[in-house]
Amino acid sequence: MTDASDWAGKVAVVTGGGSGIGAALCRRFAEAAMSVVVADVDAVAAADVATHLTEDGVLVGGARAIPIAVDVASADDVAALGEATMDAFGGVHLVCNNAGVSAGGLSWEVPLADWQWVMEVNLWGVVYGVRTFVPLIVGSGGGHIVNTASMAGLTSPPFMSPYSVSKHGVVALSEALYHELSFTHPEVGASVLCPGWVRTRIHEAGRNRPARHGGPTSFAEAGEGDAAASGMGDVVSQLIESGMEPTDVADLVWSAVLQRRFWVFTGDDWIAMAAERARGAFAGMNPQLQIPGVDLTDDAVGPEDTPTD
């Protein structure tokens, strides 16, 4: 366990820092007197976050926030992000590989361009981040790395195979990384963030989709042509919009960093679902579909009503 004061004056890098969980992480680390590199494929969004941290008086004690445009699907971009961080601050201590996108539909109908885009950002982006930043954290005297997965990395809901496959990969990579660091560089901790429904723009990630993967798309396009996939997409959008606040997720991540705790979850209902899935698998049961917040009865597929007292 570390004390919050141990992180004052150190440097954090957050990919996907221009919005959602990433922006909340940037603010949380700045509140801990750290300098922050706000990295995002959307250069304007990254600059806005960095500007607000400065103008809102969040940065203290000479800490700075700098925006850097980066496409985490590019190994060269991520390597350049590491170089730019070292040039600006001379070290790096806390890295959140947080950038993510989503696409879905029927597994056999999802366009290959969608698969490639999601895998390159969600999984390869983390691979590039680990390869680039672990040596830099070691060289800076130690610290922590956080990889953002999802509860979709511990379960397998329908109509979102590319996303789930990528997030299962992030969980596996992160767990292996935790053990490897424990053996070789115990001064560096590792965590994996597995959020459930969080109020972000993940379902609008297609707005920044690069031309090489088909250019900008909307979330609604993923389910076009299939009523079930389209209906589930509508439900997911509603659940995201009513989900946990990113600031609350950032607090959970910060707590995990201080405690050097690997798993970061955002709700007991998701934990129960993943545990039930594991028990069923080892009991030889066929998969049972459970999605927190979704009514899966035969005559209704939609968000569950929130109980009131």
Side-chain angles (χ1 to χ4, degrees):
M1 180 177 293
T2 61
D3 188 82
S5 61
D6 295 335
W7 294 91
K10 294 190 175 179
V11 179
V13 175
V14 180
T15 66
S19 64
I21 294 173
L25 289 170
C26 289
R27 180 167 288 264
R28 188 66 191 82
F29 301 151
E31 290 172 345
M34 299 182 71
S35 288
V36 180
V37 176
V38 185
D40 201 284
V41 69
D42 185 337
V44 174
D48 285 345
V49 170
T51 297
H52 282 301
L53 291 178
T54 301
E55 294 181 349
D56 294 350
V58 179
L59 298 164
V60 297
R64 294 182 290 142
I66 64 170
I68 296 180
V70 58
D71 179 358
V72 300
S74 163
D76 290 342
D77 267 26
V78 177
L81 173 63
E83 293 174 2
T85 300
M86 297 302 290
D87 288 344
F89 298 105
V92 59
H93 310 91
L94 176 56
V95 173
C96 294
N97 292 308
N98 172 75
V101 298
S102 63
L106 294 170
S107 299
W108 60 93
E109 293 182 351
V110 175
L112 287 179
D114 288 7
W115 278 98
Q116 291 163 350
W117 175 53
V118 172
M119 295 298 288
E120 285 188 12
V121 174
N122 291 4
L123 181 55
W124 281 104
V126 176
V127 172
Y128 299 147
V130 168
R131 287 177 57 84
T132 294
F133 284 102
V134 167
L136 296 180
I137 295 173
V138 171
S140 299
H144 205 96
I145 188 164
V146 181
N147 297 328
T148 297
S150 166
M151 287 307 298
L154 297 171
T155 58
S156 301
F159 309 118
M160 50 191 297
S161 290
Y163 186 77
S164 295
V165 170
S166 70
K167 295 303 186 178
H168 275 265
V170 172
V171 171
L173 169 61
S174 301
E175 193 166 359
L177 176 66
Y178 175 87
H179 292 304
E180 292 160 358
L181 290 171
S182 297
F183 290 141
T184 62
H185 291 288
E187 73 276 16
V188 183
S191 298
V192 64
L193 169 62
C194 296
W197 308 123
V198 180
R199 195 174 180 181
T200 70
R201 299 181 68 189
I202 182 68
H203 56 309
E204 300 174 5
R207 69 191 187 278
N208 293 320
R209 184 167 171 162
R212 70 179 183 279
H213 290 312
T217 56
S218 69
F219 186 69
E221 292 177 37
E224 285 184 350
D226 185 87
S230 180
M232 184 60 72
D234 292 340
V235 171
V236 168
S237 295
Q238 294 176 49
L239 289 166
I240 289 173
E241 290 169 5
S242 62
M244 177 180 284
E245 290 294 334
T247 51
D248 294 332
V249 179
D251 287 342
L252 293 172
V253 171
W254 181 235
S255 176
V257 170
L258 295 181
Q259 296 173 20
R260 292 178 63 88
R261 175 163 40 84
F262 178 72
W263 296 104
V264 188
F265 299 118
T266 61
D268 291 341
D269 50 353
W270 288 97
I271 295 173
M273 181 187 70
E276 185 62 28
R277 173 181 179 270
R279 283 192 292 268
F282 291 122
M285 297 172 58
N286 289 338
Q288 303 295 309
L289 182 58
Q290 300 179 46
I291 303 176
V294 180
D295 182 357
L296 294 170
T297 57
D298 290 340
D299 58 347
V301 176
E304 295 177 342
D305 291 333
T306 302
T308 57
D309 295 331

PDB file of all heavy atoms in Angstrom, residues 77-114:
ATOM      1  N   ASP A  77       2.621   5.794 -32.738  1.00  0.00           N
ATOM      2  CA  ASP A  77       2.008   6.880 -31.968  1.00  0.00           C
ATOM      3  C   ASP A  77       2.217   6.682 -30.474  1.00  0.00           C
ATOM      4  O   ASP A  77       2.518   7.634 -29.733  1.00  0.00           O
ATOM      5  CB  ASP A  77       0.509   6.961 -32.267  1.00  0.00           C
ATOM      6  CG  ASP A  77       0.172   7.942 -33.372  1.00  0.00           C
ATOM      7  OD1 ASP A  77       1.057   8.191 -34.221  1.00  0.00           O
ATOM      8  OD2 ASP A  77      -0.960   8.448 -33.398  1.00  0.00           O
ATOM      9  N   VAL A  78       2.042   5.449 -30.006  1.00  0.00           N
ATOM     10  CA  VAL A  78       2.188   5.190 -28.573  1.00  0.00           C
ATOM     11  C   VAL A  78       3.642   5.343 -28.153  1.00  0.00           C
ATOM     12  O   VAL A  78       3.941   5.897 -27.078  1.00  0.00           O
ATOM     13  CB  VAL A  78       1.644   3.793 -28.215  1.00  0.00           C
ATOM     14  CG1 VAL A  78       1.859   3.500 -26.727  1.00  0.00           C
ATOM     15  CG2 VAL A  78       0.154   3.691 -28.554  1.00  0.00           C
ATOM     16  N   ALA A  79       4.560   4.886 -28.989  1.00  0.00           N
ATOM     17  CA  ALA A  79       5.977   5.089 -28.689  1.00  0.00           C
ATOM     18  C   ALA A  79       6.311   6.577 -28.629  1.00  0.00           C
ATOM     19  O   ALA A  79       7.059   7.033 -27.740  1.00  0.00           O
ATOM     20  CB  ALA A  79       6.838   4.393 -29.738  1.00  0.00           C
ATOM     21  N   ALA A  80       5.732   7.353 -29.562  1.00  0.00           N
ATOM     22  CA  ALA A  80       5.961   8.801 -29.560  1.00  0.00           C
ATOM     23  C   ALA A  80       5.366   9.446 -28.314  1.00  0.00           C
ATOM     24  O   ALA A  80       5.921  10.419 -27.785  1.00  0.00           O
ATOM     25  CB  ALA A  80       5.358   9.422 -30.816  1.00  0.00           C
ATOM     26  N   LEU A  81       4.243   8.907 -27.835  1.00  0.00           N
ATOM     27  CA  LEU A  81       3.643   9.413 -26.603  1.00  0.00           C
ATOM     28  C   LEU A  81       4.596   9.214 -25.423  1.00  0.00           C
ATOM     29  O   LEU A  81       4.764  10.109 -24.589  1.00  0.00           O
ATOM     30  CB  LEU A  81       2.323   8.690 -26.336  1.00  0.00           C
ATOM     31  CG  LEU A  81       1.622   8.979 -25.004  1.00  0.00           C
ATOM     32  CD1 LEU A  81       1.221  10.447 -24.900  1.00  0.00           C
ATOM     33  CD2 LEU A  81       0.395   8.068 -24.850  1.00  0.00           C
ATOM     34  N   GLY A  82       5.222   8.059 -25.376  1.00  0.00           N
ATOM     35  CA  GLY A  82       6.201   7.819 -24.318  1.00  0.00           C
ATOM     36  C   GLY A  82       7.371   8.779 -24.406  1.00  0.00           C
ATOM     37  O   GLY A  82       7.807   9.340 -23.380  1.00  0.00           O
ATOM     38  N   GLU A  83       7.869   9.006 -25.607  1.00  0.00           N
ATOM     39  CA  GLU A  83       8.993   9.926 -25.788  1.00  0.00           C
ATOM     40  C   GLU A  83       8.611  11.347 -25.410  1.00  0.00           C
ATOM     41  O   GLU A  83       9.390  12.065 -24.749  1.00  0.00           O
ATOM     42  CB  GLU A  83       9.463   9.870 -27.245  1.00  0.00           C
ATOM     43  CG  GLU A  83      10.079   8.543 -27.648  1.00  0.00           C
ATOM     44  CD  GLU A  83      10.396   8.474 -29.125  1.00  0.00           C
ATOM     45  OE1 GLU A  83      10.166   9.495 -29.820  1.00  0.00           O
ATOM     46  OE2 GLU A  83      10.861   7.421 -29.595  1.00  0.00           O
ATOM     47  N   ALA A  84       7.410  11.765 -25.811  1.00  0.00           N
ATOM     48  CA  ALA A  84       6.965  13.120 -25.507  1.00  0.00           C
ATOM     49  C   ALA A  84       6.806  13.310 -24.001  1.00  0.00           C
ATOM     50  O   ALA A  84       7.119  14.384 -23.454  1.00  0.00           O
ATOM     51  CB  ALA A  84       5.646  13.414 -26.217  1.00  0.00           C
ATOM     52  N   THR A  85       6.322  12.278 -23.323  1.00  0.00           N
ATOM     53  CA  THR A  85       6.164  12.357 -21.861  1.00  0.00           C
ATOM     54  C   THR A  85       7.521  12.510 -21.186  1.00  0.00           C
ATOM     55  O   THR A  85       7.688  13.353 -20.284  1.00  0.00           O
ATOM     56  CB  THR A  85       5.457  11.092 -21.342  1.00  0.00           C
ATOM     57  OG1 THR A  85       4.159  10.984 -21.952  1.00  0.00           O
ATOM     58  CG2 THR A  85       5.310  11.139 -19.831  1.00  0.00           C
ATOM     59  N   MET A  86       8.481  11.722 -21.619  1.00  0.00           N
ATOM     60  CA  MET A  86       9.818  11.805 -21.018  1.00  0.00           C
ATOM     61  C   MET A  86      10.473  13.139 -21.332  1.00  0.00           C
ATOM     62  O   MET A  86      11.166  13.725 -20.471  1.00  0.00           O
ATOM     63  CB  MET A  86      10.677  10.641 -21.514  1.00  0.00           C
ATOM     64  CG  MET A  86      10.169   9.264 -21.111  1.00  0.00           C
ATOM     65  SD  MET A  86      10.019   9.041 -19.323  1.00  0.00           S
ATOM     66  CE  MET A  86      11.762   9.006 -18.854  1.00  0.00           C
ATOM     67  N   ASP A  87      10.263  13.652 -22.544  1.00  0.00           N
ATOM     68  CA  ASP A  87      10.827  14.948 -22.906  1.00  0.00           C
ATOM     69  C   ASP A  87      10.242  16.064 -22.047  1.00  0.00           C
ATOM     70  O   ASP A  87      10.958  16.995 -21.649  1.00  0.00           O
ATOM     71  CB  ASP A  87      10.554  15.259 -24.377  1.00  0.00           C
ATOM     72  CG  ASP A  87      11.388  14.406 -25.320  1.00  0.00           C
ATOM     73  OD1 ASP A  87      12.377  13.810 -24.861  1.00  0.00           O
ATOM     74  OD2 ASP A  87      11.042  14.338 -26.521  1.00  0.00           O
ATOM     75  N   ALA A  88       8.949  15.961 -21.752  1.00  0.00           N
ATOM     76  CA  ALA A  88       8.267  17.021 -21.014  1.00  0.00           C
ATOM     77  C   ALA A  88       8.543  16.959 -19.521  1.00  0.00           C
ATOM     78  O   ALA A  88       8.663  17.996 -18.859  1.00  0.00           O
ATOM     79  CB  ALA A  88       6.759  16.945 -21.265  1.00  0.00           C
ATOM     80  N   PHE A  89       8.639  15.735 -18.974  1.00  0.00           N
ATOM     81  CA  PHE A  89       8.687  15.601 -17.510  1.00  0.00           C
ATOM     82  C   PHE A  89       9.896  14.828 -16.985  1.00  0.00           C
ATOM     83  O   PHE A  89      10.156  14.856 -15.782  1.00  0.00           O
ATOM     84  CB  PHE A  89       7.409  14.921 -17.007  1.00  0.00           C
ATOM     85  CG  PHE A  89       6.157  15.695 -17.293  1.00  0.00           C
ATOM     86  CD1 PHE A  89       5.287  15.305 -18.299  1.00  0.00           C
ATOM     87  CD2 PHE A  89       5.839  16.834 -16.556  1.00  0.00           C
ATOM     88  CE1 PHE A  89       4.124  16.018 -18.562  1.00  0.00           C
ATOM     89  CE2 PHE A  89       4.687  17.556 -16.815  1.00  0.00           C
ATOM     90  CZ  PHE A  89       3.826  17.140 -17.823  1.00  0.00           C
ATOM     91  N   GLY A  90      10.586  14.107 -17.851  1.00  0.00           N
ATOM     92  CA  GLY A  90      11.762  13.371 -17.406  1.00  0.00           C
ATOM     93  C   GLY A  90      11.460  12.066 -16.706  1.00  0.00           C
ATOM     94  O   GLY A  90      12.377  11.386 -16.228  1.00  0.00           O
ATOM     95  N   GLY A  91      10.190  11.698 -16.626  1.00  0.00           N
ATOM     96  CA  GLY A  91       9.821  10.445 -15.976  1.00  0.00           C
ATOM     97  C   GLY A  91       8.334  10.202 -16.111  1.00  0.00           C
ATOM     98  O   GLY A  91       7.577  11.100 -16.501  1.00  0.00           O
ATOM     99  N   VAL A  92       7.910   8.986 -15.784  1.00  0.00           N
ATOM    100  CA  VAL A  92       6.484   8.654 -15.783  1.00  0.00           C
ATOM    101  C   VAL A  92       6.258   7.558 -14.740  1.00  0.00           C
ATOM    102  O   VAL A  92       7.078   6.642 -14.603  1.00  0.00           O
ATOM    103  CB  VAL A  92       6.000   8.205 -17.178  1.00  0.00           C
ATOM    104  CG1 VAL A  92       6.775   6.987 -17.679  1.00  0.00           C
ATOM    105  CG2 VAL A  92       4.515   7.926 -17.175  1.00  0.00           C
ATOM    106  N   HIS A  93       5.176   7.684 -13.993  1.00  0.00           N
ATOM    107  CA  HIS A  93       4.977   6.804 -12.838  1.00  0.00           C
ATOM    108  C   HIS A  93       3.639   6.088 -12.807  1.00  0.00           C
ATOM    109  O   HIS A  93       3.523   5.011 -12.219  1.00  0.00           O
ATOM    110  CB  HIS A  93       5.142   7.627 -11.557  1.00  0.00           C
ATOM    111  CG  HIS A  93       6.386   8.449 -11.533  1.00  0.00           C
ATOM    112  ND1 HIS A  93       6.435   9.758 -12.002  1.00  0.00           N
ATOM    113  CD2 HIS A  93       7.641   8.143 -11.145  1.00  0.00           C
ATOM    114  CE1 HIS A  93       7.659  10.224 -11.886  1.00  0.00           C
ATOM    115  NE2 HIS A  93       8.418   9.270 -11.374  1.00  0.00           N
ATOM    116  N   LEU A  94       2.635   6.666 -13.427  1.00  0.00           N
ATOM    117  CA  LEU A  94       1.302   6.062 -13.422  1.00  0.00           C
ATOM    118  C   LEU A  94       0.730   6.154 -14.832  1.00  0.00           C
ATOM    119  O   LEU A  94       0.626   7.246 -15.391  1.00  0.00           O
ATOM    120  CB  LEU A  94       0.394   6.801 -12.437  1.00  0.00           C
ATOM    121  CG  LEU A  94      -1.073   6.374 -12.353  1.00  0.00           C
ATOM    122  CD1 LEU A  94      -1.207   4.885 -12.049  1.00  0.00           C
ATOM    123  CD2 LEU A  94      -1.803   7.200 -11.292  1.00  0.00           C
ATOM    124  N   VAL A  95       0.389   5.007 -15.410  1.00  0.00           N
ATOM    125  CA  VAL A  95      -0.118   4.979 -16.782  1.00  0.00           C
ATOM    126  C   VAL A  95      -1.443   4.240 -16.810  1.00  0.00           C
ATOM    127  O   VAL A  95      -1.570   3.135 -16.267  1.00  0.00           O
ATOM    128  CB  VAL A  95       0.884   4.292 -17.739  1.00  0.00           C
ATOM    129  CG1 VAL A  95       0.268   4.119 -19.117  1.00  0.00           C
ATOM    130  CG2 VAL A  95       2.166   5.111 -17.828  1.00  0.00           C
ATOM    131  N   CYS A  96      -2.437   4.855 -17.433  1.00  0.00           N
ATOM    132  CA  CYS A  96      -3.739   4.224 -17.627  1.00  0.00           C
ATOM    133  C   CYS A  96      -3.969   4.014 -19.117  1.00  0.00           C
ATOM    134  O   CYS A  96      -4.181   4.977 -19.861  1.00  0.00           O
ATOM    135  CB  CYS A  96      -4.855   5.086 -17.044  1.00  0.00           C
ATOM    136  SG  CYS A  96      -4.795   5.253 -15.242  1.00  0.00           S
ATOM    137  N   ASN A  97      -3.897   2.765 -19.531  1.00  0.00           N
ATOM    138  CA  ASN A  97      -4.232   2.406 -20.915  1.00  0.00           C
ATOM    139  C   ASN A  97      -5.751   2.281 -20.979  1.00  0.00           C
ATOM    140  O   ASN A  97      -6.314   1.201 -20.779  1.00  0.00           O
ATOM    141  CB  ASN A  97      -3.557   1.088 -21.291  1.00  0.00           C
ATOM    142  CG  ASN A  97      -2.053   1.217 -21.386  1.00  0.00           C
ATOM    143  OD1 ASN A  97      -1.537   2.091 -22.076  1.00  0.00           O
ATOM    144  ND2 ASN A  97      -1.339   0.353 -20.679  1.00  0.00           N
ATOM    145  N   ASN A  98      -6.398   3.395 -21.253  1.00  0.00           N
ATOM    146  CA  ASN A  98      -7.835   3.502 -21.048  1.00  0.00           C
ATOM    147  C   ASN A  98      -8.641   3.698 -22.331  1.00  0.00           C
ATOM    148  O   ASN A  98      -9.855   3.479 -22.332  1.00  0.00           O
ATOM    149  CB  ASN A  98      -8.092   4.683 -20.095  1.00  0.00           C
ATOM    150  CG  ASN A  98      -9.554   5.016 -19.965  1.00  0.00           C
ATOM    151  OD1 ASN A  98     -10.310   4.318 -19.306  1.00  0.00           O
ATOM    152  ND2 ASN A  98      -9.975   6.096 -20.610  1.00  0.00           N
ATOM    153  N   ALA A  99      -8.006   4.061 -23.418  1.00  0.00           N
ATOM    154  CA  ALA A  99      -8.743   4.335 -24.652  1.00  0.00           C
ATOM    155  C   ALA A  99      -9.510   3.090 -25.103  1.00  0.00           C
ATOM    156  O   ALA A  99      -8.992   1.973 -25.043  1.00  0.00           O
ATOM    157  CB  ALA A  99      -7.790   4.790 -25.750  1.00  0.00           C
ATOM    158  N   GLY A 100     -10.746   3.293 -25.544  1.00  0.00           N
ATOM    159  CA  GLY A 100     -11.534   2.153 -25.994  1.00  0.00           C
ATOM    160  C   GLY A 100     -12.637   2.566 -26.951  1.00  0.00           C
ATOM    161  O   GLY A 100     -13.099   3.715 -26.932  1.00  0.00           O
ATOM    162  N   VAL A 101     -13.071   1.612 -27.779  1.00  0.00           N
ATOM    163  CA  VAL A 101     -14.154   1.833 -28.731  1.00  0.00           C
ATOM    164  C   VAL A 101     -15.067   0.615 -28.705  1.00  0.00           C
ATOM    165  O   VAL A 101     -14.737  -0.419 -28.116  1.00  0.00           O
ATOM    166  CB  VAL A 101     -13.615   2.064 -30.162  1.00  0.00           C
ATOM    167  CG1 VAL A 101     -12.743   3.303 -30.213  1.00  0.00           C
ATOM    168  CG2 VAL A 101     -12.842   0.839 -30.663  1.00  0.00           C
ATOM    169  N   SER A 102     -16.203   0.720 -29.357  1.00  0.00           N
ATOM    170  CA  SER A 102     -17.141  -0.409 -29.369  1.00  0.00           C
ATOM    171  C   SER A 102     -17.778  -0.558 -30.740  1.00  0.00           C
ATOM    172  O   SER A 102     -17.955   0.420 -31.480  1.00  0.00           O
ATOM    173  CB  SER A 102     -18.232  -0.209 -28.315  1.00  0.00           C
ATOM    174  OG  SER A 102     -19.015   0.940 -28.605  1.00  0.00           O
ATOM    175  N   ALA A 103     -18.118  -1.795 -31.062  1.00  0.00           N
ATOM    176  CA  ALA A 103     -18.876  -2.128 -32.265  1.00  0.00           C
ATOM    177  C   ALA A 103     -19.484  -3.498 -32.030  1.00  0.00           C
ATOM    178  O   ALA A 103     -18.995  -4.266 -31.201  1.00  0.00           O
ATOM    179  CB  ALA A 103     -17.983  -2.149 -33.508  1.00  0.00           C
ATOM    180  N   GLY A 104     -20.564  -3.783 -32.717  1.00  0.00           N
ATOM    181  CA  GLY A 104     -21.196  -5.066 -32.477  1.00  0.00           C
ATOM    182  C   GLY A 104     -22.120  -5.478 -33.594  1.00  0.00           C
ATOM    183  O   GLY A 104     -22.070  -4.956 -34.711  1.00  0.00           O
ATOM    184  N   GLY A 105     -23.009  -6.407 -33.257  1.00  0.00           N
ATOM    185  CA  GLY A 105     -23.912  -7.002 -34.228  1.00  0.00           C
ATOM    186  C   GLY A 105     -23.825  -8.508 -34.110  1.00  0.00           C
ATOM    187  O   GLY A 105     -23.265  -9.044 -33.149  1.00  0.00           O
ATOM    188  N   LEU A 106     -24.382  -9.235 -35.050  1.00  0.00           N
ATOM    189  CA  LEU A 106     -24.268 -10.688 -35.079  1.00  0.00           C
ATOM    190  C   LEU A 106     -22.832 -11.072 -35.406  1.00  0.00           C
ATOM    191  O   LEU A 106     -22.237 -10.537 -36.339  1.00  0.00           O
ATOM    192  CB  LEU A 106     -25.225 -11.280 -36.106  1.00  0.00           C
ATOM    193  CG  LEU A 106     -26.725 -11.113 -35.789  1.00  0.00           C
ATOM    194  CD1 LEU A 106     -27.573 -11.526 -36.985  1.00  0.00           C
ATOM    195  CD2 LEU A 106     -27.107 -11.928 -34.560  1.00  0.00           C
ATOM    196  N   SER A 107     -22.284 -11.996 -34.653  1.00  0.00           N
ATOM    197  CA  SER A 107     -20.855 -12.317 -34.764  1.00  0.00           C
ATOM    198  C   SER A 107     -20.430 -12.640 -36.185  1.00  0.00           C
ATOM    199  O   SER A 107     -19.328 -12.280 -36.616  1.00  0.00           O
ATOM    200  CB  SER A 107     -20.508 -13.499 -33.853  1.00  0.00           C
ATOM    201  OG  SER A 107     -20.775 -13.195 -32.503  1.00  0.00           O
ATOM    202  N   TRP A 108     -21.296 -13.333 -36.939  1.00  0.00           N
ATOM    203  CA  TRP A 108     -20.931 -13.742 -38.293  1.00  0.00           C
ATOM    204  C   TRP A 108     -21.211 -12.671 -39.340  1.00  0.00           C
ATOM    205  O   TRP A 108     -20.880 -12.848 -40.508  1.00  0.00           O
ATOM    206  CB  TRP A 108     -21.666 -15.032 -38.669  1.00  0.00           C
ATOM    207  CG  TRP A 108     -23.173 -14.940 -38.640  1.00  0.00           C
ATOM    208  CD1 TRP A 108     -23.988 -14.636 -39.692  1.00  0.00           C
ATOM    209  CD2 TRP A 108     -24.024 -15.151 -37.524  1.00  0.00           C
ATOM    210  NE1 TRP A 108     -25.300 -14.633 -39.298  1.00  0.00           N
ATOM    211  CE2 TRP A 108     -25.362 -14.956 -37.959  1.00  0.00           C
ATOM    212  CE3 TRP A 108     -23.809 -15.487 -36.190  1.00  0.00           C
ATOM    213  CZ2 TRP A 108     -26.459 -15.076 -37.119  1.00  0.00           C
ATOM    214  CZ3 TRP A 108     -24.901 -15.615 -35.344  1.00  0.00           C
ATOM    215  CH2 TRP A 108     -26.207 -15.410 -35.808  1.00  0.00           C
ATOM    216  N   GLU A 109     -21.797 -11.562 -38.895  1.00  0.00           N
ATOM    217  CA  GLU A 109     -22.105 -10.487 -39.834  1.00  0.00           C
ATOM    218  C   GLU A 109     -21.307  -9.211 -39.566  1.00  0.00           C
ATOM    219  O   GLU A 109     -21.297  -8.307 -40.404  1.00  0.00           O
ATOM    220  CB  GLU A 109     -23.597 -10.159 -39.790  1.00  0.00           C
ATOM    221  CG  GLU A 109     -24.494 -11.271 -40.311  1.00  0.00           C
ATOM    222  CD  GLU A 109     -25.967 -10.895 -40.302  1.00  0.00           C
ATOM    223  OE1 GLU A 109     -26.291  -9.822 -39.731  1.00  0.00           O
ATOM    224  OE2 GLU A 109     -26.777 -11.658 -40.852  1.00  0.00           O
ATOM    225  N   VAL A 110     -20.663  -9.111 -38.420  1.00  0.00           N
ATOM    226  CA  VAL A 110     -19.890  -7.906 -38.107  1.00  0.00           C
ATOM    227  C   VAL A 110     -18.805  -7.726 -39.172  1.00  0.00           C
ATOM    228  O   VAL A 110     -18.018  -8.642 -39.419  1.00  0.00           O
ATOM    229  CB  VAL A 110     -19.240  -8.012 -36.719  1.00  0.00           C
ATOM    230  CG1 VAL A 110     -18.335  -6.802 -36.461  1.00  0.00           C
ATOM    231  CG2 VAL A 110     -20.288  -8.121 -35.635  1.00  0.00           C
ATOM    232  N   PRO A 111     -18.745  -6.582 -39.827  1.00  0.00           N
ATOM    233  CA  PRO A 111     -17.725  -6.362 -40.858  1.00  0.00           C
ATOM    234  C   PRO A 111     -16.309  -6.522 -40.302  1.00  0.00           C
ATOM    235  O   PRO A 111     -16.038  -6.168 -39.149  1.00  0.00           O
ATOM    236  CB  PRO A 111     -17.971  -4.914 -41.303  1.00  0.00           C
ATOM    237  CG  PRO A 111     -19.406  -4.653 -40.956  1.00  0.00           C
ATOM    238  CD  PRO A 111     -19.660  -5.424 -39.697  1.00  0.00           C
ATOM    239  N   LEU A 112     -15.428  -7.060 -41.121  1.00  0.00           N
ATOM    240  CA  LEU A 112     -14.048  -7.229 -40.675  1.00  0.00           C
ATOM    241  C   LEU A 112     -13.418  -5.907 -40.269  1.00  0.00           C
ATOM    242  O   LEU A 112     -12.572  -5.849 -39.372  1.00  0.00           O
ATOM    243  CB  LEU A 112     -13.222  -7.893 -41.777  1.00  0.00           C
ATOM    244  CG  LEU A 112     -13.492  -9.384 -42.006  1.00  0.00           C
ATOM    245  CD1 LEU A 112     -12.614  -9.900 -43.136  1.00  0.00           C
ATOM    246  CD2 LEU A 112     -13.243 -10.183 -40.725  1.00  0.00           C
ATOM    247  N   ALA A 113     -13.829  -4.822 -40.927  1.00  0.00           N
ATOM    248  CA  ALA A 113     -13.288  -3.508 -40.566  1.00  0.00           C
ATOM    249  C   ALA A 113     -13.636  -3.162 -39.120  1.00  0.00           C
ATOM    250  O   ALA A 113     -12.839  -2.537 -38.412  1.00  0.00           O
ATOM    251  CB  ALA A 113     -13.822  -2.440 -41.510  1.00  0.00           C
ATOM    252  N   ASP A 114     -14.839  -3.570 -38.676  1.00  0.00           N
ATOM    253  CA  ASP A 114     -15.231  -3.333 -37.286  1.00  0.00           C
ATOM    254  C   ASP A 114     -14.367  -4.153 -36.339  1.00  0.00           C
ATOM    255  O   ASP A 114     -13.899  -3.656 -35.306  1.00  0.00           O
ATOM    256  CB  ASP A 114     -16.701  -3.693 -37.080  1.00  0.00           C
ATOM    257  CG  ASP A 114     -17.653  -2.699 -37.724  1.00  0.00           C
ATOM    258  OD1 ASP A 114     -17.177  -1.807 -38.449  1.00  0.00           O
ATOM    259  OD2 ASP A 114     -18.874  -2.812 -37.491  1.00  0.00           O
TER     260      ASP A 114
END
